[in-house]
Amino acid sequence: MSGRLLKLLGCAVLLVAAGACSRQKEEPKQGSQSATGASTAPPKADAPAKVRLALNWVPEPEFGGFYAARESGAFSRHGLEAEILGGGAGAPVPQMVATGKVEFGISGADELLVARARGLDVIPLFAVYQTSPHAIMAHASRGAKNIEDVLSSGTVALEPGLSYVAFLKKKYSFDKVKVVPYDGGVARFLADKDFAQQCFVTAEPIAAKRQGATPTVFLVAEEGFNPYLAVVITRRQYWKEQPERVKSFVAAVREGWRTYLDNAGPTNAVMGKLNTTMDAETFAEGAEAQKPLIETEETRARGLGTMNRQRWEQLSQQLVELDLIEKAPAADEFLLPEFTGSRD
């Protein structure tokens, strides 16, 4: 999965909260009888609230829990009818959420902080990846032990503008390696043993292995830059207007991710029909590869999707040091105690 932070979708949303039909005051209450003694029909239950979730890439394992929430009925059990909008290169999700075009979206934690620095009303609710899946992969034959070794020679393909690329450049300067633009796929990697590239652990390394290569993968998180990824976001105004609906959405998402982590097969089959470029085996391998990045000791203790203020504050300061934002926002400006602060 290439250029994940720059490949965002465009879509619009219509939110409809459908209420039950009104009843006349003289109608008997549920369970009562009419004047003739006949039982009356119970009132209709409220229709589920329609919401849309905008993804920032096409259906792949990184979004498995959201589709599982829909397919398993978790959204329905929480009174929601959720439409999941698969994405790709397109309009930026944070802007769409901030302007109310969609109720919920998926973003990286670093993206969210940059968006807030630009005045957008976006807040985080749930973080799928506790460890960022962004990585650098090199051929095992090079014998590299870490990213510093990879960046000491050869060629590396990186997409300019990504925050983790800025972090690596500041840490290692790139003086000893030739940096070329990342253009997606693994063709150049397969053809050149001295070629390294950025990757998403559930995508490019698996593709390279399937085509006969032996990549070694180094997580950027191990270098000290570890933003939450696949973060569910909404706008603060929507939270103020519909707090119970937001809580219900997060609860359903948590159930969906539990379902997907326990048994990804059925949901992979659904996503496979939406994304025919990925075969069933790759879906299965990707779902397995991401498990340790999603479920950790912290999530086992505090719940899937958990976040904490300290990590958000650390990331904010890192973005300031990288000159990606001018000032670190106060945590209380964008973190809700219901999903972050009260858990620390």
Side-chain angles (χ1 to χ4, degrees):
M1 184 175 301
S2 66
R4 198 58 51 97
L5 294 180
L6 295 183
K7 293 178 169 66
L8 303 167
L9 76 159
C11 57
V13 68
L14 175 64
L15 176 61
V16 181
C21 296
S22 62
R23 299 172 62 85
Q24 299 296 324
K25 293 182 179 179
E26 61 269 26
E27 282 188 314
K29 295 182 179 180
Q30 181 178 4
S32 65
Q33 293 182 328
S34 66
T36 61
S39 296
T40 61
K44 293 181 180 180
D46 286 347
K50 295 182 180 180
V51 297
R52 290 186 180 183
L53 170 67
L55 306 183
N56 57 357
W57 192 241
V58 297
E60 289 190 358
E62 66 178 292
F63 305 122
F66 304 116
Y67 285 97
R70 187 187 69 183
E71 298 302 310
S72 68
F75 283 129
S76 296
R77 288 192 294 275
H78 287 276
L80 301 170
E81 181 182 332
E83 181 178 3
I84 301 174
L85 304 168
V93 175
Q95 282 87 336
M96 297 176 66
V97 172
T99 57
K101 293 182 179 179
V102 293
E103 291 84 9
F104 302 98
I106 301 300
S107 173
D110 48 347
E111 281 183 277
L112 181 145
L113 290 170
V114 171
R116 286 202 60 85
R118 294 173 179 170
L120 298 184
D121 173 23
V122 284
I123 57 175
L125 304 172
F126 182 100
V128 175
Y129 286 103
Q130 301 294 301
T131 301
S132 172
H134 287 124
I136 304 296
M137 72 177 189
H139 289 273
S141 59
R142 290 180 60 178
K145 298 294 189 295
N146 49 44
I147 289 180
E148 182 177 13
D149 288 347
V150 175
L151 298 178
S152 66
S153 63
T155 301
V156 61
L158 298 170
E159 186 171 340
L162 301 182
S163 58
Y164 73 84
V165 173
F167 173 84
L168 292 176
K169 184 176 182 179
K170 182 174 182 178
K171 186 171 184 178
Y172 294 117
S173 76
F174 295 170
D175 289 341
K176 300 177 181 179
V177 64
K178 180 182 179 181
V179 179
V180 298
Y182 178 68
D183 57 5
V186 297
R188 296 176 68 183
F189 183 83
L190 296 173
D192 186 352
K193 296 296 183 181
D194 290 324
F195 188 88
Q197 67 176 68
Q198 67 181 57
C199 65
F200 207 78
V201 296
T202 63
E204 288 91 346
I206 294 173
K209 289 179 182 178
R210 295 284 296 277
Q211 298 182 64
T214 306
T216 301
V217 180
F218 302 103
L219 289 170
V220 177
E222 295 174 350
E223 299 292 324
F225 189 75
N226 186 27
Y228 293 117
L229 213 66
V231 179
V232 178
I233 65 175
T234 191
R235 59 191 177 111
R236 183 178 287 275
Q237 185 61 35
Y238 187 68
W239 159 254
K240 291 179 179 178
E241 295 169 355
Q242 300 287 350
E244 294 307 315
R245 188 174 298 173
V246 172
K247 291 178 183 178
S248 293
F249 187 88
V250 172
V253 164
R254 183 170 287 113
E255 289 181 21
W257 273 104
R258 181 72 274 155
T259 297
Y260 187 73
L261 290 170
D262 290 343
N263 182 16
T267 305
N268 283 344
V270 172
M271 291 191 293
K273 294 179 180 179
L274 301 173
N275 177 14
T276 57
T277 65
M278 180 178 286
D279 59 35
E281 185 177 352
T282 302
F283 263 109
E285 291 182 23
E288 191 65 27
Q290 70 183 6
K291 281 185 177 180
L293 308 181
I294 295 172
E295 190 162 25
T296 64
E297 289 185 10
E298 186 173 11
T299 65
R300 281 187 279 270
R302 299 165 59 186
L304 291 170
T306 190
M307 303 179 292
N308 68 65
R309 293 167 66 95
Q310 183 178 3
R311 280 188 61 178
W312 278 101
E313 290 171 343
Q314 178 185 19
L315 177 61
S316 296
Q317 188 57 46
Q318 287 179 314
L319 295 182
V320 171
E321 293 170 358
L322 294 171
D323 293 325
L324 296 178
I325 61 176
E326 183 175 343
K327 180 181 178 182
D332 290 338
E333 292 180 0
F334 67 97
L335 296 181
L336 299 177
E338 289 82 358
F339 306 108
T340 51
S342 62
R343 295 186 178 189
D344 296 327

